[in-house]
């Protein structure tokens, strides 16, 4: 059964609609079989750990006890979290405590000799809290067991003797609610007077808050499994997520509750109530309360509006003296959570009342702006912070940024303080220094964006939240857009963002970064060269293409850049290109580009002895470019960092792409024209070197483009978005041969660069000086972003197939299959008669070879402003 059918059936299970009332179409999904419907209901109920009394399962399974036992068995086998929301049934009725549950789970993992990483993240964290068994303790126990010989698994007591005998869960938090578990007469006999009195109090007066009881007695009774905690969360509570302490990074299980935990992690806003969070996520509020309860139990979240643990001298206090004394002298235990969870029952009246009072104190002025600035980053940034050995404090924040997917404004003071400790003088060379530079640049960026009145961001309180793209994109599109629209006035992306990460697309709020997934694909590189009329020699090959020899256009290269689809580019030598390329083409389309040349492969350079590489020299030009600056009157014959903004290609890209209302940088690369492979301004070189290619991308000029076999390109290209540039004279083309070097665009990135401190400051200065986040600039940015996106989609639609221009559809495009084909001498075979849909995600994949010859019709050194 497919996912759509599964979701359709689940809707009726949640609504508790029985078999007799199911629509005929729904019955058809289970082949009109009542038995299959029953199996589906049972499977769904156990998977979601539903309570027997209040759900459809009670009409299909008569034995309540067996049903709960099956939930425990399946959950334990799949290493799921203990179902705390049904603790009243499991602990009182079946005497299954979290300690027993995790003890049996840990025993099974060890006897099966599985690794510690087999435990999912949240389950492993709860095992640490209840059993005090983390990674190091697990390895130590396994080594001690193996030292006893191969028969240790058959000895029942061999492993149990090394595991804890009692729970180390601790006394919890003072506002947690204590419930009485299963207590036998034997338990009463073995209890102390204080424990006996506490048990009697719970029997006579019902559940009490932990802070009303003796702290050590609570701790003792919990360790014996005679009481259990309910962590109350109410609809009007506000929740905050501090930097994660004690989080275990193992693996993601993918069960329903874990997915909900991660979804709420990135969505939590401490200014919103639990009820509002549930409405934004469109999830049942009880499920949200259960998830937040688990956060609080694990210590990963805090409830803002709890009743304070203080002594009221006038009216006395309900809090026990043991809690008041410890609150003033000690900090909270690391294993004890610091906020609350909602079980399946409601919180006590006193807790609800205190929550409402706390909300009144914390209530914000509705007239003030409530939205913030969002800074989008990817996992590469967290990797720098975690692997850079820059300090334990930074690693804690990095774990929070990675796992939660968000670092709220309230936590940025501590984060910036940790970043301020990073010094280039205290790190070594190489990678360590690079990580430190990134951390320092990140600190500059966050300080600039946060509470900066010079930015004049409309409808914003100036706060800044850090958001991880991957975690945001794990939400469904509708939920993601609701969260962004509710909480943020503008989004700024780090640059560059990894090609493996899908950008966060949003119209409201506007995004200063890549706005479509296509901007992070090879399509955008080719589009950039198309608009600029220049670029490195490039060839985009569809998935399934096979090469028997290196394309002639790359024979002069010493090294070649290889970029598989949805991956970052890497550099390979020409001698290794063919096997690497054919291997990569089995899985995805690949873009290959000239990276550096070997001078002794050309007649003009045969005087060189040995192989001499042309060094790859790049210059990054931040935009928007200051157009008020006058261009030097003298002809520029050598470009550098100081004058690269006047390069005609940079000026053209800035104008054609509408970059004056965006931020980012253009990366220019210098390629030696004496070994470039093509004559500047002459496209016949491309014709000879890329013979038989499906499509040759022309520059945006009025110069005729020769036709190639199978090409979809008309002889003269006219763009609906641009006007052709002036025709170049023969004298001008002849003059270009005087120059031995040429700067061409390599790539364009949108957002705030964080890998280069100087470039970062330049772009931030441009943002401030141009008021790029002002209300008027935001309107222009939205318009230009949309126009650029439409131009890119039009470009992709034009070169996607070999049959001519097609509109960019919302559904996949039909394409000729090239799977398993061989390119003989780089000439395509005739198209196979079979047709398939060729789309991956939302990005249309290339169905034919597409090349950019790397030529330019106007010599760069003689350009003026166009």
């Amino acid at each position: 059964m497919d996912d759509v059918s599964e979701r359709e059936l689940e809707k009726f299970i949640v609504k508790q609609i029985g078999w007799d009332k199911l629509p005929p179409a729904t019955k058809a999904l289970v082949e009109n079989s009542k038995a299959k419907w029953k199996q589906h209901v049972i499977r769904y109920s156990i998977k979601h750990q539903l309570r027997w009394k209040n759900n459809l399962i009670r009409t299909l399974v008569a034995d309540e006890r067996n049903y709960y036992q099956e939930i425990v068995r399946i959950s334990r086998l799949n290493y799921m979290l203990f179902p705390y929301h049904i603790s009243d049934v499991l602990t009182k009725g079946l005497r299954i405590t979290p300690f027993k549950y995790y003890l049996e789970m840990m025993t099974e993992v060890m006897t099966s000799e599985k690794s510690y990483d087999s435990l999912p993240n949240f389950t492993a964290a709860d095992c640490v809290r209840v059993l005090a068994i983390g990674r190091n303790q697990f390895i130590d126990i396994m080594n001690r067991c193996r030292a006893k010989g191969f028969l240790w698994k058959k000895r029942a007591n061999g492993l149990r003797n090394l595991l804890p005998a009692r729970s180390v869960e601790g006394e919890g938090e003072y506002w947690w609610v204590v419930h009485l578990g299963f207590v036998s007469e034997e338990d009463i006999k073995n209890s102390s007077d204080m424990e006996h009195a506490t048990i009697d109090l719970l029997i006579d007066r019902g559940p009490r808050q932990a802070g009303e009881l003796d702290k050590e007695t609570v701790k003792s009774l919990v360790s014996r499994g005679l009481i259990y905690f309910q962590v109350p969360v109410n609809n009007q509570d506000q929740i905050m997520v501090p930097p994660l302490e004690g989080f275990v990074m193992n693996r993601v299980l993918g069960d329903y509750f874990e997915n909900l935990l991660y979804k709420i992690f990135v969505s939590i806003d401490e200014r919103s109530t639990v009820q509002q969070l549930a409405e934004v996520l469109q999830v049942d509020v009880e499920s949200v309360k259960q998830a937040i309860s688990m956060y609080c139990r694990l210590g990963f979240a805090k409830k803002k509006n709890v009743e304070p643990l203080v002594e009221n001298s006038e009216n006395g206090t309900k809090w026990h003296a043991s809690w008041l004394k410890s609150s003033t002298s000690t900090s909270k235990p690391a294993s004890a959570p610091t906020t609350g969870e909602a079980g399946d029952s409601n919180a006590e009246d006193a807790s609800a009342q205190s929550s409402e009072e706390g909300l009144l104190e914390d209530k914000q002025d509705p007239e003030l702006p409530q939205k913030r600035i969002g800074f989008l980053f990817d996992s590469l940034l967290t990797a720098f912070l975690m692997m850079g050995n820059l300090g334990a404090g930074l690693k804690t924040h990095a774990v929070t940024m990675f796992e939660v997917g968000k670092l709220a404004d309230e936590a940025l003071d501590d984060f910036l303080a940790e970043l301020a400790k990073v010094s280039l003088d205290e790190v070594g060379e190489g990678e360590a220094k690079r990580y430190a530079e990134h951390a320092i640049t990140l600190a500059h960026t966050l300080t600039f964006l946060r509470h900066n009145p010079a930015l004049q961001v409309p409808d914003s309180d100036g706060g800044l939240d850090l958001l991880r793209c991957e975690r945001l994109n794990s939400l469904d599109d509708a939920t993601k857009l609701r969260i962004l629209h509710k909480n943020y006035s503008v989004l700024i992306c780090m640059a560059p963002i990894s090609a493996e990460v899908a950008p966060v697309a949003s119209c409201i709020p506007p995004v200063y970064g890549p706005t479509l997934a296509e901007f992070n694909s090879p399509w955008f590189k080719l589009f950039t060269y198309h608009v600029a009329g220049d670029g490195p020699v490039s060839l985009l090959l569809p998935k399934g293409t096979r090469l028997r020899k290196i394309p002639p256009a790359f024979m002069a290269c010493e090294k070649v850049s290889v970029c598989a689809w949805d991956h970052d580019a890497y550099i390979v030598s020409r001698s290794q290109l063919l096997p690497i390329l054919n291997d990569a083409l089995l899985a995805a389309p690949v873009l290959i580009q000239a990276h550096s040349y070997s001078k002794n492969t050309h007649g003009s350079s045969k005087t060189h002895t040995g192989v001499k590489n042309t060094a790859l020299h790049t210059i990054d030009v931040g935009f928007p470019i200051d157009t008020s600056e006058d261009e030097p009157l003298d002809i520029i014959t050598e470009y550098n960092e100081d004058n690269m903004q006047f390069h005609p290609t940079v000026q053209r890209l800035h104008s054609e792409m509408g970059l004056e209302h965006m931020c980012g940088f253009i990366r220019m690369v210098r390629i030696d024209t004496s070994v470039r492979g093509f004559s500047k301004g002459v496209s016949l070189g491309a014709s000879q070197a890329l013979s038989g290619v499906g499509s040759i991308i022309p520059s945006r000029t009025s110069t005729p483009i020769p036709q190639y076999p199978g090409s979809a390109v008309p002889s003269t290209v006219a763009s609906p978005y641009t006007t052709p540039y002036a025709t170049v004279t023969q004298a001008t083309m002849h003059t270009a041969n005087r120059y031995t070097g040429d700067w061409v665009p390599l790539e364009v990135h949108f957002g705030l660069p964080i890998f280069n401190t100087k470039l970062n400051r330049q772009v931030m200065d441009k943002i401030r000086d141009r008021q790029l986040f002002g209300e008027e600039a935001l309107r222009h940015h939205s318009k230009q972003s949309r126009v650029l996106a439409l131009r890119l989609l039009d470009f992709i639609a034009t070169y996607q197939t070999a049959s001519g221009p097609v509109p960019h559809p919302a559904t996949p495009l039909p394409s000729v299959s090239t799977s398993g084909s061989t390119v003989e001498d780089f000439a395509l075979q005739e198209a196979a008669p079979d047709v398939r849909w060729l789309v991956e995600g939302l990005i249309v994949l290339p169905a034919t070879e597409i090349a950019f010859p790397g030529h330019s019709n106007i010599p760069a050194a003689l350009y003026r402003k166009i």
Side-chain angles (χ1 to χ4, degrees):
M1 184 178 295
D2 58 23
D3 293 339
V4 176
S5 300
E6 288 276 356
R7 288 194 294 269
E8 184 65 23
L9 290 175
E10 289 172 2
K11 292 179 182 178
F12 292 95
I13 296 175
V14 172
K15 295 177 181 178
Q16 302 189 37
I17 298 177
W19 171 259
D20 296 334
K21 296 183 179 180
L22 287 178
T26 304
K27 290 182 177 181
L29 296 176
V30 291
E31 301 176 358
N32 292 309
S33 170
K34 187 175 181 178
K36 289 186 177 181
W37 164 252
K38 178 180 178 180
Q39 293 175 3
H40 192 86
V41 173
I42 294 174
R43 185 167 59 250
Y44 177 86
S45 301
I46 292 176
K47 177 182 176 182
H48 289 75
Q49 302 172 330
L50 298 182
R51 184 175 288 273
W52 184 85
K53 286 184 178 179
N54 305 325
N55 291 280
L56 185 62
I57 187 67
R58 71 185 185 281
T59 64
L60 301 176
V61 176
D63 194 329
E64 180 181 1
R65 184 181 183 87
N66 285 344
Y67 168 71
Y68 284 118
Q69 289 176 337
E70 187 67 9
I71 285 181
V72 172
R73 187 184 71 84
I74 296 297
S75 299
R76 189 174 60 243
L77 288 177
N78 289 284
Y79 305 146
M80 296 174 64
L81 284 163
F82 180 80
Y84 288 100
H85 59 288
I86 53 175
S87 291
D88 57 330
V89 177
L90 300 184
T91 304
K92 288 182 178 180
L94 304 179
R95 204 171 188 179
I96 300 176
T97 64
F99 174 76
K100 291 183 178 180
Y101 177 84
Y102 287 124
L103 190 66
E104 291 185 14
M105 181 187 296
M106 192 64 68
T107 302
E108 190 276 331
V109 172
M110 290 182 172
T111 53
S112 301
E113 295 194 67
K114 296 180 181 179
S115 70
Y116 183 75
D117 291 332
S118 61
L119 294 174
N121 297 340
F122 288 103
T123 302
D126 209 20
C127 284
V128 173
R129 188 182 68 89
V130 176
L131 302 178
I133 298 179
R135 186 180 304 274
N136 294 337
Q137 292 80 8
F138 182 92
I139 294 173
D140 178 63
I141 293 173
M142 291 299 295
N143 289 338
R144 291 163 64 184
C145 286
R146 293 190 182 103
K148 297 180 179 180
F150 68 95
L151 294 177
W152 67 271
K153 289 190 289 184
K154 295 184 178 181
R155 299 170 183 168
N157 297 328
L159 179 60
R160 286 297 180 98
N161 291 336
L162 300 177
L163 297 175
R166 285 191 175 188
S167 171
V168 295
E169 189 172 354
E171 67 277 359
E173 290 292 326
Y174 69 92
W175 53 271
W176 293 7
V177 178
V178 176
H179 291 259
L180 190 65
F182 184 93
V183 181
S184 64
E185 292 184 3
E186 187 68 23
D187 294 324
I188 295 293
K189 293 179 182 179
N190 295 329
S191 299
S192 65
D193 293 340
M194 182 67 75
E195 291 174 345
H196 196 167
T198 301
I199 292 174
D200 289 342
L201 176 65
L202 294 175
I203 293 174
D204 296 338
R205 301 180 59 183
R208 312 299 300 170
Q209 286 182 296
E212 301 177 33
L213 308 173
D214 179 72
K215 190 173 185 179
E216 289 301 320
T217 302
V218 171
K219 183 177 181 179
S220 175
L221 291 175
V222 168
S223 67
R224 296 176 59 191
L226 302 183
I227 60 174
Y228 66 92
F229 292 121
Q230 174 211 353
V231 185
V233 173
N234 301 292
N235 290 5
Q236 298 305 313
D237 286 341
Q238 292 175 311
I239 308 299
M240 63 175 293
V241 179
L244 295 183
E245 296 284 351
F247 192 88
V248 181
M249 299 179 68
N250 279 358
R251 70 181 181 97
V252 176
L253 179 63
D255 67 273
Y256 90 98
F257 193 56
E258 184 182 66
N259 291 337
L260 180 62
L261 287 171
Y262 277 115
K263 178 185 291 189
I264 295 176
F265 245 161
V266 75
S267 308
I268 283 181
D269 170 20
E270 62 181 75
R271 296 169 296 175
S272 301
T273 65
V274 172
Q275 179 68 45
Q276 291 170 337
L277 178 62
E279 291 172 357
V280 170
L281 294 175
Q282 292 189 352
V283 176
D284 176 61
V285 68
E286 290 301 319
S287 298
V288 173
K289 287 159 68 175
Q290 290 173 18
I292 292 175
S293 231
M294 181 59 68
Y295 294 146
C296 297
R297 192 181 290 269
L298 295 174
F300 298 156
K302 294 182 178 180
K303 194 162 71 169
K304 292 180 62 177
N305 48 325
V306 295
E307 185 178 359
L309 183 63
V310 294
E311 183 177 358
N312 190 325
S313 58
E314 296 181 0
N315 303 322
T317 179
K318 69 176 184 179
W319 305 120
H320 195 276
S322 59
W323 288 90
L324 293 172
K325 181 179 179 180
S326 63
S327 67
T328 58
S329 59
T330 62
S331 58
K332 295 178 178 64
S335 62
T338 54
T339 67
E341 154 196 311
D344 121 324
S345 60
N346 293 328
E348 296 298 304
D349 294 339
S351 178
Q353 182 179 357
S354 67
S355 298
E356 293 173 3
E357 292 173 353
L359 265 184
L360 290 175
E361 295 175 0
D362 220 13
K363 194 174 181 180
Q364 297 176 338
D365 187 350
E367 299 298 325
L368 297 176
Q370 301 295 314
K371 296 186 178 182
R372 291 177 174 173
I373 299 171
F375 182 74
L376 303 173
F377 65 92
D378 62 17
S379 299
L380 188 61
L381 179 61
T382 59
F384 286 150
L385 297 175
M386 284 190 281
M387 298 188 303
N389 196 24
L390 303 175
L394 274 183
K395 287 186 178 180
T396 299
H397 288 288
V399 170
T400 305
M401 293 165 65
F402 182 83
E403 292 295 343
V404 177
K406 178 179 180 178
L407 196 63
D409 183 77
E410 289 77 9
L412 287 190
D413 286 333
D414 290 338
F415 185 46
L416 289 172
E418 294 293 336
L419 288 173
K421 298 177 183 178
V422 178
S423 173
L424 292 178
D425 298 332
E426 299 177 1
V427 297
E429 297 296 327
E431 290 295 304
K433 185 175 182 179
R434 186 164 66 96
Y435 294 151
E437 289 175 344
H438 290 345
I440 293 172
T441 307
L442 177 63
H444 295 161
T445 302
L446 301 184
T447 303
F448 170 77
L449 294 175
R450 186 178 182 230
H451 300 293
N452 186 352
L455 297 181
Q456 298 184 5
V457 181
D459 193 27
S460 171
D461 63 2
L464 177 68
D465 289 349
L466 309 188
L467 306 168
R468 186 163 76 95
C469 293
E470 297 95 324
R471 188 66 72 208
L472 272 177
N473 287 328
S474 67
L475 304 173
D476 61 88
D477 290 339
T479 300
K480 176 175 63 179
L481 293 179
R482 284 195 300 270
I483 292 173
L484 295 178
H485 178 66
K486 175 181 179 294
N487 296 326
Y488 302 103
S489 56
V490 65
L491 301 173
I492 299 101
C493 187
M494 63 171 272
I497 194 168
S498 173
E500 301 179 11
V501 177
V504 175
S506 170
C507 293
I508 303 176
V511 179
Y512 282 83
T515 54
L516 289 176
E518 286 83 353
F519 280 97
N520 239 21
S521 73
W523 283 122
F524 187 63
K525 283 190 176 182
L526 295 179
F527 173 73
T528 299
Y529 309 150
H530 179 49
V531 172
D534 211 348
V537 180
S538 306
L539 179 65
L540 181 59
L541 297 168
K543 176 183 176 181
T545 302
R546 305 296 291 169
L547 300 178
R548 290 187 177 178
K549 63 192 305 184
I550 296 175
F554 299 94
M555 290 301 295
C557 295
E558 175 64 19
K559 294 185 181 296
V560 177
S561 171
V562 177
C563 180
W565 206 269
D566 286 341
H567 290 80
D568 293 318
Y570 54 94
I571 308 302
V572 300
S573 63
R574 186 188 62 189
S575 60
Q576 300 174 330
L577 176 62
L578 199 59
I580 291 177
L581 190 57
N582 281 328
D583 185 57
L585 285 166
L586 293 174
V590 177
L591 174 69
I592 57 175
Q593 296 181 286
H595 180 79
S596 63
Y597 291 90
S598 175
K599 287 191 174 182
N600 68 342
T601 58
H602 291 271
S604 61
S605 303
K606 287 183 178 179
T607 57
H608 292 275
T609 58
V611 175
K612 181 180 179 181
N613 293 336
T614 303
L616 185 66
H617 185 195
T618 61
I619 292 180
D620 296 329
V621 183
F623 60 80
I625 295 173
D626 189 358
T627 55
S628 63
E629 238 182 287
D630 293 332
E631 183 178 353
L633 297 177
D634 297 334
I635 295 177
I636 301 175
T637 57
E638 186 66 30
Y639 286 97
N640 51 47
E641 290 187 1
D642 296 329
N643 60 17
M644 184 57 73
Q645 62 178 319
F646 299 117
H647 193 287
T649 300
V650 174
Q651 295 281 333
R652 183 189 300 180
L653 286 173
H654 189 266
S655 174
E656 283 286 301
M657 290 186 172
L659 303 182
E660 62 269 21
H661 298 293
M662 305 179 190
C663 65
F665 64 95
I666 301 170
R667 176 162 292 169
M668 300 291 289
V669 60
R670 187 169 194 172
I671 298 179
D672 196 332
T673 54
S674 65
V675 293
R676 193 169 174 183
F678 306 126
S679 301
K680 287 177 66 67
V682 182
S683 57
L684 291 179
S687 163
Q688 297 163 0
L690 296 170
S691 175
V693 172
S695 294
I696 304 292
I697 299 177
S699 60
R700 287 292 193 198
T701 71
S702 59
T703 304
I705 303 298
Q707 292 293 290
Y708 304 96
S711 175
V713 185
S715 58
T716 300
V717 178
S719 170
Y721 306 102
T722 62
T723 57
Y725 297 105
T727 304
V728 186
T729 64
Q730 293 295 325
T732 305
M733 294 172 62
H734 176 72
T735 309
N737 294 327
R738 299 177 186 173
Y739 300 96
T740 60
D742 187 24
W743 289 94
V744 299
L746 181 61
E747 52 198 359
V748 177
H749 291 287
F750 298 93
L752 262 174
I754 63 167
F755 64 91
N756 184 311
T757 302
K758 182 179 179 180
L759 180 65
N760 174 265
R761 290 191 179 277
Q762 289 176 354
V763 175
M764 290 192 299
D765 289 343
K766 294 173 186 292
I767 291 174
R768 182 188 60 246
D769 297 340
R770 299 284 292 272
Q771 292 296 302
L772 211 58
F773 300 154
E775 190 170 354
E776 183 67 21
L778 285 174
R779 284 197 293 268
H780 288 295
H781 171 268
S782 297
K783 179 181 178 181
Q784 292 294 340
S785 296
R786 179 171 177 80
V787 170
L788 184 60
L790 291 174
R791 289 182 61 186
L792 175 59
L793 297 179
D794 177 70
F795 171 84
I796 294 173
T798 300
Y799 291 100
Q800 150 63 10
T801 65
S803 58
V806 293
H808 182 78
T811 54
L813 289 174
S815 304
V816 176
S817 172
T818 59
S819 178
S821 62
T822 301
V823 180
E824 186 75 42
D825 292 333
F826 205 62
L828 288 176
Q829 295 178 345
E830 292 186 5
D834 59 303
V835 176
R836 63 172 178 164
W837 299 104
L838 190 60
V839 163
E840 189 167 299
L842 297 177
I843 304 180
V844 181
L845 301 184
T848 184
E849 283 74 4
I850 304 170
F852 185 82
H855 72 276
S856 175
N857 290 340
I858 306 177
L862 297 180
Y863 263 93
R864 286 297 189 189
K865 290 184 178 179
I866 297 177

